[in-house]
């Protein structure tokens, strides 16, 4: 970048560079789900070396900081992540996830009609549903076309 001197190539600046690259990628994926392997493949295609262990470590730190959400869908699928930024209101948002049982795609779903489920469970059953972690299983539109 103009006006900015490059850092010396030390181990700590390398880690900072990797963190910056990862954050840049995450910002571009805002609202979409991804796996650590998706990130690794992205950078590998660009010729950028970031180890998978480093990606997992950074993602775990971002989850702790609340800027990334982690979804564990089932024992057969890799964990998915979602960048929500520093001002996440996910706990207040009503959104669900759709998991395709054929291709494995995880889709973020905001649907006001489904918000009534959350309200019903709280009012009638005394149960506060975490909609950010709620997953409906079925077939996505693409896979339905191939049936």
């Amino acid at each position: 970048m103009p006006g900015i001197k490059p850092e010396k190539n030390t181990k700590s600046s390398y880690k900072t560079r990797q963190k910056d690259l990862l954050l840049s990628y995450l910002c571009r994926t805002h609202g979409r789900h991804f796996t650590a392997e998706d990130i690794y493949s992205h950078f590998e295609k660009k010729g950028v070396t970031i180890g998978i262990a480093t990606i997992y470590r950074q993602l775990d730190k971002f989850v702790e900081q609340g800027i990334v959400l982690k979804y564990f869908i089932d024992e057969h699928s890799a964990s998915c992540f979602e960048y929500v930024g520093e001002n996440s209101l996910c706990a207040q948002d009503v959104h669900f996830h759709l998991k395709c049982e054929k291709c494995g795609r995880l889709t973020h779903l905001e649907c006001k009609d489904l918000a009534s489920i959350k309200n019903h469970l709280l009012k009638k059953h005394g149960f506060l549903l975490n909609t950010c972690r709620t997953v409906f299983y079925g077939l996505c539109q693409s896979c339905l076309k191939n049936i």
Side-chain angles (χ1 to χ4, degrees):
M1 290 183 187
I4 298 176
K5 291 183 180 180
E7 295 180 14
K8 293 180 183 176
N9 193 11
T10 63
K11 192 172 186 177
S12 63
S13 68
Y14 181 68
K15 287 182 181 179
T16 301
R17 181 179 156 270
Q18 290 179 327
K19 180 180 176 182
D20 291 344
L21 286 169
L22 188 53
L23 274 173
S24 176
Y25 171 82
L26 295 178
C27 287
R28 290 190 310 270
T29 65
H30 193 78
R32 292 191 340 242
H33 297 95
F34 53 87
T35 65
E37 290 77 17
D38 293 335
I39 297 170
Y40 181 80
S41 294
H42 168 79
F43 285 113
E44 188 176 48
K45 288 175 187 172
K46 294 198 170 280
V48 176
T49 304
I50 300 180
I52 192 74
T54 300
I55 292 169
Y56 275 109
R57 257 192 318 276
Q58 286 298 325
L59 286 173
D60 286 341
K61 287 179 185 178
F62 296 150
V63 169
E64 287 176 16
Q65 294 169 5
I67 63 173
V68 170
L69 298 177
K70 182 176 184 178
Y71 302 102
F72 176 76
I73 305 303
D74 57 43
E75 62 278 354
H76 304 293
S77 304
S79 292
C80 287
F81 299 88
E82 178 184 7
Y83 177 77
V84 292
E86 293 183 23
N87 298 317
S88 171
L89 298 175
C90 182
Q92 299 170 5
D93 290 346
V94 177
H95 75 270
F96 299 84
H97 297 91
L98 306 175
K99 171 81 174 183
C100 181
E101 294 175 299
K102 186 170 183 181
C103 72
R105 174 181 284 145
L106 183 68
T107 305
H108 186 91
L109 174 68
E110 292 184 25
C111 177
K112 293 187 190 286
D113 292 335
L114 291 176
S116 64
I117 292 173
K118 180 179 180 177
N119 294 333
H120 170 81
L121 288 173
L122 184 58
K123 285 181 181 179
K124 300 292 183 181
H125 304 282
F127 186 82
L128 180 60
L129 182 66
N130 181 346
T131 60
C132 294
R133 296 184 49 95
T134 302
V135 181
F136 293 101
Y137 291 85
L139 295 175
C140 70
Q141 192 173 23
S142 298
C143 290
L144 277 172
K145 289 179 184 177
N146 297 325
I147 293 181

